[in-house]
Amino acid sequence: MEIEDQVKYVEITYRGIFQKRLAKYIAEGIVYTAREMGKPAVSFGRYGDSPERNGVPAKYYVGIGNGISEEDLIGYSTRVEPDLVDVIVVLDDTLLKGVESWAWQGVQPINLKLKPNGTMIVTSLKRIDELAKMVPKKEFNWTLGVIKTEPSFSGLWAFKDDLTMEKVWGAIAKLRPDIIDLDHLIKYVSKKSNADKRISAIKETYTSVEYRTIVKNEGIDFLYNPPRLLTWQEMLEGTVIPAVPRGKRNEQFKRGTTKFERPTVDFDTCIKCRLCWIYCPDECFDETPDGYYDIAYDYCVGCGICAEVCPVKDCIVMVDESMFTDYRRPYEMWKENRVKYKEWLNKVRQARKERVYVPGLGR
Amino acid sequence: MTEVKKIVEKEVLMNGTQAVAYAAMYADVDVVAAYPIRPYTEVMDTISKLIADGELDAEFIVAEGEHGQFETVKHASLVGARTLVGSSGVGWLYAMEAIVVTATDRAPVVAIIGNRALDDPGAYGVEHNDALMVRDVGWLLAWVDTAQEAFDTTLIAYRVAEDQRVLLPVGISMDGGFLTHSEQIVRLPPKEIVKDFLPPYNRGKYLVHPDNPITVAPQVNEDWVMEIRRQHEEAMERARVVISEAYESFKKVFGRYPGSTGDIKMPENPFVEPFMIDDAEVVLIGMGTVSKPMKVAIKNMRKQGYKVGMLRIRWFRPFPTQDVIRYLSNARVVCVIDRDYSMGSPNRGGVVYHEIRSSLYDLDQRPKVLNFIGGLGGREITIQDVEKIIKIGYEHRDTPITKPVYWVGVRGDPW
Ligand code: SF4
Ligand code: SF4
């Protein structure tokens, strides 16, 4: 038997610190349920930058053994990341735009490691067909599922239970009973506190989760070129990185996948005060010849500081990252066609949805 | 044969750091000093919650940095408190002055080291050089490879450290990420029976107390140094006996050998874990979680006819010289996998490699020793890497060694 048959992996991609505990507890429930089904299971957390940093994409994994011992399962799972996974859980739809994996391997498609006929489950308020337009193409058919819910922040510091955990389990039980099935899941959950409420959340998602097959080559082109990392002979010695020329940025240090919101700028009202340029912690702003400040979105972490410091009302407004399909610079777009830009600006700003980060509502 | 009791253990999913915190709670520690640094931090997250939930009655002191953190437990330990402390990477090194005197003052502190690469560059992944920085200053050092072993070894650590024949601090090392952040099922014995294994901490005549007026660590004549070191070395040597006793006693009280659980069988040797070693011509050596891909690779290669086995070092200080000799004297090639490096060392290799070579030197028939430097800074040592190591080892059964040290998967060298 191949390793792939002996071990099934679930990958849970989450936003660092906001969802760290959530991801861990989701993994935990899968492990315990798999054990109810008589299978050894382990889980492990991995991160590229740091799961303690705001919004950094990070991952949790569950490995479930089929006909192998717990010891062998741990042997296979002593990895940074598995090569292939059966199920990917995405705890925020803006993560569909790409994530950085361990150790600066570049921005990767969210479904990079999905097995043929694998399953990806996203928490989102968007409809499945909208999401299907955002997912990277694969060479094979796979299943996309959507749990209709706001991205949970329930993993922030102290865990507040908003039933996202149960909804994710319910969706996996529906779409991948080979990973965890409903009966054993309920058996496990009935041992927990508030079991009735939890079980009804599981059952509700089990019946309501929207899903469909994403056929071969459906979705967007997402060219992933892993960066060529330098050999020891090529690197400068002593942990040295040469400076990039003025006006350029280091291609290897993009941090864009951290953001779930990005700033939009109304150049018609900008007073060129320069505060955004001064305050941006990631130096995303570039001064244009006519004194405006353009943004390199690839490097923006979505912290919102520029929007806070800008003295002009509604000059900089943060909008939902999932409104964007590319990383084009706003000033370029504005220069190209001011009217169109304004229309577009109004559109994305109207659609701007303040996320409800109130945990504990069970919504 | 000791009689083995039947006790019911509870199965709980935990990572390595949580397992240590639970063991410290079972040991009923009195003082915990915390300061955060990845990847060890969750020990402190967990134990602070146990205290907050009323599961454990202990002082939880958040220090202003690692130096204060380790000073806190040293002093608490001298006045008779059972303590828990820990750190990782450069945090552990920042406390080094306090760490060194903890051993010299014979304070049986138990520290958990979530192994992490030493900066620069800032990296969170495992490398063993952080813990190995104390290999020569009188700490007992254990390496664990599962959450279960982390739990069991923590209980053992208190028992050994506090034994009046020893009174030395213990560092329990675990691989950052691969164990600190990996959850496995841990069998927790009933809490009540821990007292059958772990007696109360009693410093005897070395207790700093008004009724026992003594001073510890005064500024004294520098001419005391050699005698103090000599005593220390004796205590280190006595620890071998005490460690063996503790493992035997653990088995008696809890009904299983430390580290063993349902699926995972642990050979009954406190210092090393031999695996498929009896007829092995090539033996792999490693510390920590690298044993996991090693075992899978060994099983795979055995199926192809390779006679290969493993010896995992569980206690690095005191170093298990006699076990190493016993298990390796019939091997033809020994492949040491080091998740550390000793810059400018005699053979340009790792720390464990040099210790193993040194242990084998006096044998008339010495196996050849190869060294594989790998997994530094948290990089994977895969099953495929280990299979390759086995093949290289096998090729050297009959051919002399021309290249003793290989770097596993470093960008720029062929691998
Ligand atoms: S949100 Fe604004 S301040 Fe923050 S990184 Fe992006 S551009 Fe800079
Ligand atoms: S802070 Fe606002 S007004 Fe000032 S330069 Fe930036 S965008 Fe323009």
Side-chain angles (χ1 to χ4, degrees):
Chain A
M1 257 211 299
E2 291 296 307
I3 297 174
E4 269 105 281
D5 305 324
Q6 294 183 328
V7 188
K8 294 199 171 173
Y9 284 108
V10 179
E11 175 184 298
I12 301 157
T13 303
Y14 67 94
R15 291 235 174 254
I17 202 58
F18 305 127
Q19 301 179 323
K20 183 177 153 196
R21 278 180 179 72
L22 173 66
K24 184 176 173 169
Y25 293 159
I26 290 172
E28 191 177 290
I30 299 169
V31 171
Y32 279 121
T33 306
R35 291 179 63 83
E36 292 279 359
M37 295 165 75
K39 296 175 182 179
V42 295
S43 62
F44 45 106
R46 295 293 180 261
Y47 42 87
D49 182 356
S50 161
E52 273 90 25
R53 284 183 195 147
N54 288 7
V56 169
K59 295 183 182 187
Y60 239 93
Y61 292 96
V62 184
I64 301 168
N66 272 322
I68 58 163
S69 70
E70 187 170 344
E71 178 158 50
D72 284 354
L73 174 65
I74 295 175
Y76 290 129
S77 305
T78 307
R79 300 283 313 268
V80 172
E81 297 183 344
D83 295 328
L84 291 171
V85 298
D86 298 82
V87 175
I88 297 175
V89 174
V90 183
L91 290 176
D92 173 357
D93 57 7
T94 58
L95 287 163
L96 292 185
K97 305 187 73 187
V99 292
E100 277 137 321
S101 181
W102 188 77
W104 302 107
Q105 306 287 323
V107 179
Q108 300 172 338
I110 183 78
N111 52 5
L112 180 69
K113 298 199 167 183
L114 196 66
K115 278 186 198 170
N117 297 314
T119 306
M120 188 161 86
I121 297 166
V122 188
T123 63
S124 178
L125 290 172
K126 287 192 172 4
R127 298 200 51 86
I128 200 159
D129 289 332
E130 284 180 77
L131 292 179
K133 284 184 201 136
M134 290 166 70
V135 295
K137 282 178 185 168
K138 297 298 273 184
E139 296 275 277
F140 46 75
N141 290 3
W142 56 282
T143 302
L144 174 66
V146 186
I147 304 170
K148 222 172 181 62
T149 185
E150 288 138 2
S152 171
F153 266 37
S154 62
L156 183 63
W157 304 123
F159 182 72
K160 292 209 186 133
D161 199 347
D162 63 2
L163 299 177
T164 297
M165 196 161 73
E166 287 75 6
K167 290 175 192 169
V168 171
W169 294 333
I172 300 175
K174 171 73 179 193
L175 302 178
R176 293 302 297 264
D178 58 322
I179 303 278
I180 48 171
D181 65 35
L182 189 64
D183 290 348
H184 290 94
L185 174 60
I186 288 175
K187 213 169 141 199
Y188 157 65
V189 173
S190 37
K191 294 174 200 161
K192 295 171 73 82
S193 61
N194 291 327
D196 292 348
K197 198 170 143 197
R198 292 175 196 283
I199 290 169
S200 67
I202 288 170
K203 284 187 174 161
E204 207 218 287
T205 317
Y206 187 85
T207 45
S208 72
V209 59
E210 204 186 341
Y211 62 95
R212 76 163 168 88
T213 301
I214 304 290
V215 294
K216 182 176 164 178
N217 286 330
E218 184 179 349
I220 56 160
D221 283 313
F222 190 123
L223 283 186
Y224 171 53
N225 297 314
R228 195 186 75 85
L229 299 167
L230 299 180
T231 66
W232 68 266
Q233 296 94 336
E234 293 165 312
M235 283 177 171
L236 287 179
E237 298 191 18
T239 330
V240 171
I241 299 171
V244 288
R246 208 186 164 89
K248 289 223 162 70
R249 290 187 173 80
N250 192 325
E251 280 291 316
Q252 298 234 347
F253 287 85
K254 290 178 181 172
R255 299 197 48 208
T257 60
T258 299
K259 63 182 175 293
F260 50 82
E261 288 184 308
R262 77 163 73 166
T264 54
V265 188
D266 187 346
F267 294 100
D268 294 328
T269 60
C270 170
I271 57 168
K272 304 182 181 178
C273 71
R274 213 174 199 229
L275 283 175
C276 52
W277 184 91
I278 292 170
Y279 276 91
C280 172
D282 282 80
E283 297 179 18
C284 300
F285 287 88
D286 290 308
E287 193 169 0
T288 63
D290 49 357
Y292 291 103
Y293 294 90
D294 198 10
I295 309 179
Y297 282 139
D298 278 330
Y299 297 84
C300 167
V301 297
C303 69
I305 290 175
C306 52
E308 254 172 62
V309 298
C310 176
V312 181
K313 187 171 183 308
D314 289 346
C315 178
I316 302 186
V317 173
M318 303 298 290
V319 307
D320 194 329
E321 172 67 11
S322 62
M323 302 297 305
F324 294 81
T325 50
D326 57 30
Y327 291 91
R328 278 196 70 196
R329 288 167 161 264
Y331 176 79
E332 273 175 24
M333 295 194 275
W334 180 65
K335 274 299 227 197
E336 210 174 86
N337 186 335
R338 291 189 183 200
V339 180
K340 239 177 103 190
Y341 182 79
K342 191 79 178 189
E343 275 169 19
W344 173 83
L345 201 65
N346 287 338
K347 196 181 106 202
V348 293
R349 286 182 174 187
Q350 249 152 38
R352 170 178 197 251
K353 181 184 63 66
E354 285 273 12
R355 289 200 203 186
V356 185
Y357 301 133
V358 190
L361 298 182
R363 295 197 283 168
Chain B
M1 234 348 247
T2 47
E3 197 205 326
V4 175
K5 270 192 223 161
K6 267 261 166 295
I7 58 164
V8 182
E9 295 189 294
K10 201 167 75 181
E11 297 191 343
V12 186
L13 188 70
M14 284 184 182
N15 64 33
T17 62
Q18 289 171 306
V20 168
Y22 268 76
M25 188 256 288
Y26 273 47
D28 195 17
V29 294
D30 304 301
V31 174
V32 182
Y35 191 79
I37 181 169
R38 261 169 293 142
Y40 107 103
T41 314
E42 203 171 338
V43 183
M44 296 305 169
D45 290 355
T46 308
I47 206 153
S48 62
K49 181 157 175 22
L50 290 170
I51 294 170
D53 290 349
E55 303 266 350
L56 168 68
D57 182 13
E59 289 293 329
F60 187 85
I61 299 165
V62 181
E64 85 295 356
E66 286 87 353
H67 189 276
Q69 187 193 358
F70 279 78
E71 277 295 332
T72 303
V73 287
K74 180 193 80 180
H75 287 270
S77 180
L78 294 175
V79 298
R82 184 170 283 164
T83 59
L84 178 73
V85 70
S87 199
S88 285
V90 288
W92 169 250
L93 264 60
Y94 184 53
M96 200 48 78
E97 187 210 5
I99 286 170
V100 168
V101 292
T102 299
T104 325
D105 298 348
R106 308 287 294 277
V109 160
V110 172
I112 142 99
I113 308 152
N115 295 127
R116 168 176 172 173
L118 296 172
D119 292 351
D120 287 334
Y124 321 122
V126 47
E127 200 173 297
H128 290 165
N129 272 98
D130 56 355
L132 287 170
M133 289 276 166
V134 304
R135 70 170 186 165
D136 301 327
V137 300
W139 275 64
L140 307 179
L141 279 178
W143 253 269
V144 295
D145 78 339
T146 58
Q148 185 70 54
E149 209 188 15
F151 178 86
D152 298 346
T153 307
T154 305
L155 290 178
I156 289 167
Y158 283 108
R159 164 130 169 194
V160 172
E162 294 167 4
D163 190 294
Q164 289 196 23
R165 290 167 288 175
V166 179
L167 289 179
L168 285 174
V170 180
I172 300 169
S173 281
M174 67 170 70
D175 290 356
F178 298 120
L179 187 48
T180 57
H181 286 60
S182 296
E183 286 88 9
Q184 301 152 5
I185 292 290
V186 175
R187 275 80 172 169
L188 297 179
K191 199 174 166 185
E192 319 77 71
I193 64 169
V194 170
K195 63 179 183 325
D196 298 340
F197 171 73
L198 186 60
Y201 173 31
N202 175 7
R203 280 187 75 75
K205 64 184 174 191
Y206 294 112
L207 182 72
V208 177
H209 189 274
D211 296 341
N212 184 44
I214 57 167
T215 298
V216 180
Q219 191 73 30
V220 294
N221 193 330
E222 57 263 48
D223 193 30
W224 285 24
V225 171
M226 280 198 72
E227 287 69 25
I228 290 170
R229 300 284 182 272
R230 185 72 182 77
Q231 289 174 333
H232 198 141
E233 171 52 23
E234 282 302 307
M236 192 53 107
E237 205 47 34
R238 287 193 295 266
R240 287 180 201 279
V241 178
V242 178
I243 290 170
S244 293
E245 288 173 10
Y247 278 71
E248 271 313 302
S249 165
F250 187 100
K251 188 181 158 190
K252 242 192 239 168
V253 173
F254 299 112
R256 55 174 176 80
Y257 203 71
S260 296
T261 54
D263 259 1
I264 298 171
K265 310 266 181 294
M266 193 70 76
E268 303 199 356
N269 184 316
F271 297 98
V272 291
E273 182 196 358
F275 179 79
M276 295 193 165
I277 206 171
D278 291 341
D279 62 341
E281 295 176 291
V282 172
V283 176
L284 309 182
I285 296 190
M287 299 200 297
T289 60
V290 70
S291 70
K292 296 303 175 191
M294 269 158 89
K295 282 182 181 174
V296 175
I298 287 168
K299 285 188 211 166
N300 290 347
M301 298 297 275
R302 281 261 170 190
K303 280 186 210 137
Q304 297 173 35
Y306 288 85
K307 285 186 179 172
V308 53
M310 176 191 91
L311 195 69
R312 175 171 67 92
I313 308 290
R314 294 172 91 178
W315 285 85
F316 181 80
R317 280 292 180 270
F319 194 77
T321 320
Q322 289 311 316
D323 291 304
V324 165
I325 289 173
R326 181 154 66 90
Y327 283 110
L328 297 186
S329 51
N330 290 325
R332 298 192 35 202
V333 184
V334 174
C335 300
V336 182
I337 303 179
D338 267 284
R339 207 164 209 142
D340 58 75
Y341 191 73
S342 177
M343 306 289 174
S345 56
N347 259 21
R348 301 186 65 195
V351 175
V352 184
Y353 162 69
H354 284 107
E355 302 264 321
I356 296 286
R357 262 176 77 96
S358 168
S359 303
L360 298 174
Y361 181 80
D362 287 331
L363 295 182
D364 293 332
Q365 285 252 306
R366 290 190 287 267
K368 294 169 198 165
V369 189
L370 288 169
N371 190 200
F372 297 85
I373 306 297
L376 304 184
R379 200 171 293 181
E380 282 179 350
I381 298 175
T382 60
I383 293 166
Q384 292 72 30
D385 287 330
V386 181
E387 289 177 357
K388 198 163 168 184
I389 290 169
I390 294 169
K391 282 188 188 147
I392 294 172
Y394 232 71
E395 277 162 21
H396 284 89
R397 282 182 311 166
D398 303 309
T399 53
I401 288 176
T402 46
K403 177 181 169 184
V405 182
Y406 293 77
W407 283 67
V408 178
V410 68
R411 287 191 296 274
D413 285 348
W415 176 248

